[in-house]
Amino acid sequence: KNEVEQSPQNLTAQEGEFITINCSYSVGISALHWLQQHPGGGIVSLFMLSSGKKKHGRLIATINIQEKHSSLHITASHPRDSAVYICAVSPWGNDMRFGAGTRLTVKP
Amino acid sequence: KAGVTQTPRYLIKTRGQQVTLSCSPISGHRSVSWYQQTPGQGLQFLFEYFSETQRNKGNFPGRFSGRQFSNSRSEMNVSTLELGDSALYLCASSLKGGWQPQHFGDGTRLSIL
């Protein structure tokens, strides 16, 4: 079983919809990361969190340490949000363990 | 401020050869981490360097090695290339590593024939 499980694997939404991507992990962690990868490979770090909730623009990330679960929410989704979203955990330092990613397609 | 620069962007090699990839971190960043991304295994951590010392290492064979120079630039070397080494190799830098957000380069796409 993978240490980091993401769901769903693929997600198609209409522009304007509220989107949720889930991440569950099975190891103790010092931090959890949400990453965004566009076609071509470039990765952008969206959030790094160890507790509670963080918000940046239309993106919100939450984490429940006791339940070992995190969610990434996108409000008012837009076609430019189409990308692969990857959850990763750091048991220690930069030894990151990655989920398989969620491929999001937002249709106009 | 320039981002993380990886060179080359694309590389084609044959089995048995060796390859060296380069990563220039953001100015002032002292931690550089390397990752491999393949369709089958996804993203996997290779190793992290901080102040010219390897601080963390993932579960890869000894054919994968790296080093970091005094200016924080890092190189990754893969010897005796195998078909399965075909992948996107990404590096990321941060100020100190550990509890720090990482900034990723665009990657080097390595194809083994």
Side-chain angles (χ1 to χ4, degrees), chain A:
Chain A
K1 189 174 186 289
N2 290 337
E3 292 172 311
V4 182
E5 298 279 356
Q6 279 186 244
S7 63
Q9 280 188 304
N10 294 284
L11 182 56
T12 300
Q14 289 297 131
E15 184 174 356
E17 285 185 353
F18 180 85
I19 288 162
T20 296
I21 299 170
N22 295 300
C23 175
S24 296
Y25 54 92
S26 58
V27 295
I29 66 170
S30 61
L32 182 140
H33 307 255
W34 281 103
L35 310 172
Q36 180 192 56
Q37 186 171 31
H38 280 283
I43 291 179
V44 174
S45 178
L46 298 174
F47 294 103
M48 184 176 69
L49 63 166
S50 61
S51 65
K53 176 179 174 178
K54 286 191 175 181
K55 185 175 189 290
H56 185 255
R58 296 179 294 105
L59 302 177
I60 303 166
T62 64
I63 187 170
N64 184 317
I65 296 293
Q66 286 73 30
E67 295 185 5
K68 294 187 174 178
H69 181 269
S70 175
S71 293
L72 176 68
H73 305 286
I74 304 176
T75 61
S77 59
H78 190 277
R80 65 174 173 266
D81 297 326
S82 297
V84 176
Y85 292 84
I86 302 167
C87 171
V89 299
S90 300
W92 168 251
N94 282 350
D95 179 9
M96 293 168 73
R97 319 287 173 86
F98 298 88
T102 295
R103 185 175 300 277
L104 171 66
T105 303
V106 182
K107 295 184 175 180

Side-chain angles (χ1 to χ4, degrees), chain B residues 37-102:
Chain B
Q37 186 175 36
T38 61
Q41 298 295 320
L43 271 162
Q44 294 181 278
F45 170 75
L46 279 156
F47 30 64
E48 182 208 1
Y49 285 86
F50 179 80
S51 293
E52 302 179 65
T53 301
Q54 187 180 87
R55 192 157 68 172
N56 283 308
K57 188 177 188 304
N59 189 26
F60 276 81
R63 300 185 297 108
F64 292 81
S65 63
R67 59 178 175 169
Q68 187 180 34
F69 302 95
S70 58
N71 62 357
S72 294
R73 188 178 72 86
S74 178
E75 288 182 347
M76 191 192 101
N77 184 273
V78 188
S79 62
T80 319
L81 287 165
E82 301 176 359
L83 292 177
D85 297 333
S86 294
L88 179 67
Y89 290 89
L90 292 152
C91 87
S93 74
S94 64
L95 279 169
K96 299 180 191 177
W99 181 235
Q100 295 272 324
Q102 294 195 73

Side-chain angles (χ1 to χ4, degrees), chain B residues 12 15 20 27 32 54 60 62 71 105-106:
Chain B
I12 299 175
R15 280 184 299 172
T20 300
S27 178
V32 174
Q54 187 180 87
F60 276 81
N71 62 357
D106 289 333

Side-chain angles (χ1 to χ4, degrees), chain B residues 14-46:
Chain B
T14 57
R15 280 184 299 172
Q17 286 187 310
Q18 74 165 19
V19 67
T20 300
L21 312 181
S22 179
C23 173
S24 293
I26 290 173
S27 178
H29 285 193
R30 294 167 61 191
S31 168
V32 174
S33 298
W34 288 89
Y35 303 91
Q36 181 197 63
Q37 186 175 36
T38 61
Q41 298 295 320
L43 271 162
Q44 294 181 278
F45 170 75
L46 279 156

